[in-house]
Amino acid sequence: MNDNKNVLICIGTRPEAIKMAPVYFKFLKSGYNTKLCVTAQHRDLLDQVLEFFKMKPDFDLNLMTPNQTLNKLSSRILEEIDKIFIEHKIDLVLVHGDTTTSSVIALAAFNRKIKVAHVEAGLRTYNKWSPFPEEMNRQLTGRLADFHFAPGRSASQNLLKEGVASNTILVTGNTVIDALKMTGEILDQGFNTPVIESLKEAVNFDKKIVLVTGHRRENFGEGFESICNALVEISKDNGVEIVFPVHLNPNVQEVVYKRLSNVSNVHLVAPLDYPTFIWLMKKAHLIISDSGGVQEEAPTFGVPVLVTRSVTERQEGVDAGCSFLVGTDQDLIVSKAQQILSKTKQINTVINPYGDGDASQKIIDFLKNTSW
Ligand code: UD1
Ligand code: UDP
């Protein structure tokens, strides 16, 4: 059904590229006339992923500017995407998650009466300011979407409570697990890179590895200061090596490099390409992160995550004992980290509560069997 229709898959940031890669490859084989558009809300971080998965954008809006404001970015996306909609007679747009790219493209599609499918739909904190602006981006995209691919039951329940018609919602699991499967197969074939080699030289992997990431806007300033202070405390344990790939957002870079550059067992590195990051995640004893994607991936490797946020829309991991909400409270981060680091055994989970790795197949099957 719907063959010969024009489908546009739109992504802008690193996590969208990772999570949409498996969906994109399914669509390429689907019989739809599928095109890939990158807004390049991220540039280097996005390109790392495109290169690894060998995804070739048909349209690259190249919109990233240093320290871009959300409104400037939004206005440029609206203007540029509209040209593609008109010229290529798009029938269906697929967007992902909660970024500015997703919500603005969903709005632009609605204005042109183009159908919108939302991947990773229905996650909610119902706190407008946390995560900011992602919670509202996701709610807005949900209002505009025609098809909702919910990563889990609770996301689907949220949508139903908001009045979304049940026959437009499908629970798929999270496509991040599909991506992990694709990557796992590559890593199993003896994957190696110069970055992995240089990590092996710089970091003592006989010690307990703490992997850290952070980029949330609501943590800028005091929150990041507090996280850095906690890391200094944790680093006083001689048996620990901390590896921190620092997000390229200047608000993150400034604080992190100022505060942690001179701590010998804290390794500040450039954002890692995705397979290298997964390689490192597998070696970690503990992860400290505010990332959505990392919360979803870590249970696959049985690595606990301290979530440096006050709320999470990914409650499944907390309920399963895989992740722990610690906010940016220095003492809480330190005490919970020390508790986990004092044990040799990590969590036992082998079943990842976020998906089975077949989400992208479910998405394509649903769209093939639905008229639009
Ligand atoms: C964005 C998303 C967030 C997502 C995150 C994933 C929004 C509002 N935010 O946050 O939902 O969780 O990506 O990482 O959509 N930069 C570079 N090079 C890059 C990427 C970013 O230099 O490749 C710097 C630029 O100065 C840019 C700044 O980071 O202006 C912020 O980028 P932006 O996409 O606005 O926000 P993120 O914090 O990355
Ligand atoms: N990631 C990566 N390199 C890094 C840090 C993270 O490839 O140095 C991957 C990680 O495996 C996950 C995704 O990026 O799939 C998460 O992206 P991010 O934390 O930027 O965004 P969020 O998931 O919070 O939206």
Side-chain angles (χ1 to χ4, degrees), residues 19 66 120 170 203 212 322:
K19 292 172 168 185
E120 203 188 72
L170 180 73
V203 179
V212 184
C322 305

Side-chain angles (χ1 to χ4, degrees), residues 14-15 18 215-216 245 271-274 277-278 291-294 297:
R14 168 173 65 193
I18 293 168
H215 68 84
R216 301 245 82 96
L272 296 170
D273 60 273
Y274 172 62
F277 187 77
I278 297 301
S291 164
V294 171
E297 291 161 341

Side-chain angles (χ1 to χ4, degrees), residues 13-16 18-19 42 45 48-49 98-99 120 134 138 176 180 211-216 245-247 269-278 281 289-297 309 314:
T13 65
R14 168 173 65 193
E16 290 168 276
I18 293 168
K19 292 172 168 185
H42 283 174
L45 298 184
Q48 282 181 331
V49 182
D98 57 12
T99 65
E120 203 188 72
E134 289 84 3
R138 206 185 285 271
V176 78
L180 215 45
L211 174 61
V212 184
T213 78
H215 68 84
R216 301 245 82 96
V246 189
H247 195 284
V269 297
L272 296 170
D273 60 273
Y274 172 62
T276 301
F277 187 77
I278 297 301
M281 192 184 256
S289 177
D290 59 21
S291 164
V294 171
Q295 285 174 68
E296 292 154 352
E297 291 161 341
R309 297 175 49 182
R314 289 159 169 100

Side-chain angles (χ1 to χ4, degrees), residues 129-134 215-220 223 309-310 328:
W129 302 111
S130 188
F132 170 83
E134 289 84 3
H215 68 84
R216 301 245 82 96
R217 277 164 208 256
E218 61 274 17
N219 288 350
F220 288 173
R309 297 175 49 182
S310 55
T328 55

Side-chain angles (χ1 to χ4, degrees), residues 37-333:
C37 174
V38 300
T39 60
Q41 172 178 336
H42 283 174
R43 187 70 275 173
D44 325 47
L45 298 184
L46 177 76
D47 291 346
Q48 282 181 331
V49 182
L50 297 178
E51 194 184 315
F52 171 66
F53 283 109
K54 300 192 172 40
M55 296 161 81
K56 297 214 165 38
D58 299 281
F59 312 104
D60 188 335
L61 308 186
N62 198 23
L63 293 181
M64 199 210 86
T65 54
N67 226 346
Q68 60 205 345
T69 68
L70 298 175
N71 285 334
K72 179 84 175 167
L73 173 66
S74 303
S75 67
R76 293 170 72 211
I77 295 174
L78 268 181
E79 195 172 339
E80 295 301 320
I81 200 74
D82 203 34
K83 294 178 196 162
I84 297 172
F85 286 167
I86 298 166
E87 201 174 321
H88 297 274
K89 298 188 172 42
I90 302 300
D91 299 298
L92 174 74
V93 164
L94 271 91
V95 293
H96 182 277
D98 57 12
T99 65
T100 297
T101 289
S102 311
S103 55
V104 172
I105 290 182
L107 174 63
F110 164 74
N111 286 339
R112 289 272 170 206
K113 297 191 176 165
I114 295 169
K115 291 274 191 313
V116 176
H118 188 197
V119 180
E120 203 188 72
L123 296 185
R124 299 284 185 271
T125 61
Y126 292 110
N127 178 341
K128 187 174 173 179
W129 302 111
S130 188
F132 170 83
E134 289 84 3
E135 172 66 13
M136 291 316 288
N137 281 348
R138 206 185 285 271
Q139 290 198 28
L140 292 168
T141 309
R143 295 298 296 167
L144 295 162
D146 299 279
F147 305 115
H148 309 258
F149 298 112
R153 293 245 154 257
S154 63
S156 143
Q157 290 300 325
N158 291 336
L159 292 165
L160 290 169
K161 270 188 277 169
E162 291 168 20
V164 175
S166 59
N167 64 350
T168 65
I169 303 171
L170 180 73
V171 178
T172 59
N174 200 305
T175 59
V176 78
I177 309 297
D178 303 29
L180 215 45
K181 253 191 182 173
M182 288 164 75
T183 310
E185 282 160 20
I186 296 167
L187 290 182
D188 288 346
Q189 289 158 17
F191 177 84
N192 202 5
T193 63
V195 181
I196 290 182
E197 286 306 316
S198 64
L199 281 171
K200 281 183 187 164
E201 268 176 37
V203 179
N204 183 349
F205 282 98
D206 293 332
K207 298 194 174 179
K208 288 182 178 164
I209 304 298
V210 179
L211 174 61
V212 184
T213 78
H215 68 84
R216 301 245 82 96
R217 277 164 208 256
E218 61 274 17
N219 288 350
F220 288 173
E222 260 179 42
F224 267 95
E225 294 276 356
S226 179
I227 293 167
C228 289
N229 290 340
L231 294 175
V232 171
E233 277 308 305
I234 295 165
S235 74
K236 288 180 182 162
D237 177 345
N238 209 12
V240 163
E241 292 270 86
I242 299 176
V243 187
F244 190 162
V246 189
H247 195 284
L248 295 179
N249 194 318
N251 297 287
V252 180
Q253 294 256 320
E254 215 181 282
V255 182
V256 171
Y257 275 95
K258 199 162 126 199
R259 192 73 188 85
L260 299 174
S261 279
N262 295 321
V263 187
S264 64
N265 55 342
V266 177
H267 306 271
L268 302 179
V269 297
L272 296 170
D273 60 273
Y274 172 62
T276 301
F277 187 77
I278 297 301
W279 175 88
L280 188 57
M281 192 184 256
K282 283 170 96 164
K283 297 209 169 309
H285 192 94
L286 168 67
I287 297 173
I288 301 176
S289 177
D290 59 21
S291 164
V294 171
Q295 285 174 68
E296 292 154 352
E297 291 161 341
T300 293
F301 308 111
V303 186
V305 183
L306 301 190
V307 182
T308 47
R309 297 175 49 182
S310 55
V311 282
T312 180
E313 57 289 298
R314 289 159 169 100
Q315 188 60 32
E316 291 88 342
V318 178
D319 293 342
C322 305
S323 41
F324 307 88
L325 270 185
V326 291
T328 55
D329 183 307
Q330 182 183 336
D331 294 339
L332 190 55
I333 298 171

